[in-house]
C-alpha cells in the first residue's frame, strides 16, 4: 500500500487551497463591486431587461398568431364543408356564400379555384366566379374597419 504524505505537506496543500479560494472570492467580490459602481451599469441593466421584455412580448404575439392561424384554418375547412353540404341539399346560393368565404380566407385562391372548377358543376362555378368580386369588397371593408390607419 501507498504511504500517506507527510503531515507538513498535507497542511501546506490545504493552506495553498484555502489561499487560492480566498483569492478567488476576493477577485469575484471586487469585480462585482466595480461592475455595479460603473456609471453605465444601471443603463445597461435597464436596456437588457427591456430587450428581454420585448422578446417575451414578441414570443407571446407569435403564439397568438399561431392560435389565430389555427382558428382561420378551422373556419376555412368549416366553410368548405358547409359549401359541400348545401350543394348536396341543392341550395346553390348558400353553398356559393360559404365557398366564397373559404376562397377569401385561402392563401392560394387561384389553386382553390382550379380545384373547385374541376369538382363543381359548371353553372355553380359560374355563379361562384360572379360572386367573388363582392366578397373581396366585403372583406376589404371589414379589414379597413378592423385596422385603424397608422399615422
Amino acid at each position: 500500500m501507498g504511504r500517506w504524505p507527510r503531515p507538513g505537506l498535507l497542511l501546506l496543500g490545504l493552506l495553498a487551497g484555502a489561499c487560492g479560494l480566498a483569492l478567488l472570492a476576493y477577485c469575484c467580490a471586487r469585480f462585482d463591486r466595480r461592475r455595479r459602481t460603473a456609471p453605465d451599469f444601471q443603463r445597461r441593466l435597464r436596456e437588457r431587461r427591456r430587450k428581454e421584455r420585448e422578446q417575451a412580448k414578441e414570443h407571446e404575439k407569435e403564439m397568438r398568431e399561431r392560435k389565430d392561424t389555427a382558428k382561420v384554418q378551422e373556419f376555412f375547412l368549416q366553410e368548405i364543408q358547409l359549401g359541400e353540404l348545401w350543394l348536396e341539399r341543392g341550395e346553390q346560393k348558400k353553398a356559393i356564400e360559404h365557398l366564397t368565404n373559404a376562397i377569401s380566407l385561402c392563401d392560394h385562391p387561384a389553386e382553390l379555384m382550379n380545384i373547385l372548377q374541376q369538382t363543381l358543376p359548371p353553372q355553380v362555378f359560374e355563379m361562384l366566379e360572379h360572386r367573388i368580386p363582392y366578397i373581396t369588397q366585403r372583406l376589404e371593408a371589414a379589414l379597413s374597419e378592423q385596422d385603424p390607419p397608422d399615422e
Side-chain angles (χ1 to χ4, degrees):
M1 292 210 116
R3 293 180 18 183
W4 287 91
R6 287 191 251 163
L9 285 177
L10 182 63
L11 184 61
L12 185 63
L14 288 175
L15 186 61
C19 288
L21 189 59
L23 180 65
L24 179 66
Y26 170 76
C27 290
C28 289
R30 183 170 183 223
F31 173 75
D32 189 49
R33 181 182 167 137
R34 287 184 65 198
R35 179 181 62 92
R36 286 187 190 182
T37 58
D40 62 341
F41 172 72
Q42 292 293 327
R43 181 184 52 81
R44 287 186 299 169
L45 185 62
R46 281 191 297 267
E47 286 177 4
R48 188 183 79 220
R49 289 178 180 167
R50 181 184 48 81
K51 286 179 184 178
E52 288 173 355
R53 280 192 307 269
E54 288 174 358
Q55 287 175 348
K57 286 180 182 178
E58 191 173 306
H59 180 71
E60 288 175 12
K61 182 180 176 184
E62 287 177 9
M63 295 306 289
R64 272 188 263 121
E65 286 177 357
R66 287 181 184 166
K67 288 179 183 177
D68 290 345
T69 302
K71 287 180 183 178
V72 168
Q73 288 176 350
E74 183 180 325
F75 183 70
F76 170 78
L77 291 174
Q78 178 184 353
E79 290 297 306
I80 292 288
Q81 290 170 349
L82 286 172
E84 291 173 351
L85 178 70
W86 286 116
L87 273 177
E88 289 174 4
R89 293 183 179 175
E91 295 285 335
Q92 294 178 351
K93 288 185 180 181
K94 290 182 180 179
I96 295 299
E97 182 71 25
H98 290 287
L99 291 174
T100 51
N101 287 341
I103 291 169
S104 67
L105 294 172
C106 186
D107 291 334
H108 306 286
E111 293 177 19
L112 181 58
M113 287 296 290
N114 287 336
I115 292 170
L116 291 174
Q117 185 177 14
Q118 295 170 3
T119 57
L120 294 176
Q123 71 274 11
V124 175
F125 183 75
E126 206 172 302
M127 290 171 59
L128 181 64
E129 282 182 318
H130 291 298
R131 183 83 175 128
I132 289 175
Y134 301 111
I135 295 298
T136 306
Q137 289 174 354
R138 191 176 73 186
L139 181 65
E140 288 174 358
L143 287 175
S144 66
E145 288 176 7
Q146 187 178 24
D147 296 330
D150 294 332
E151 293 181 19

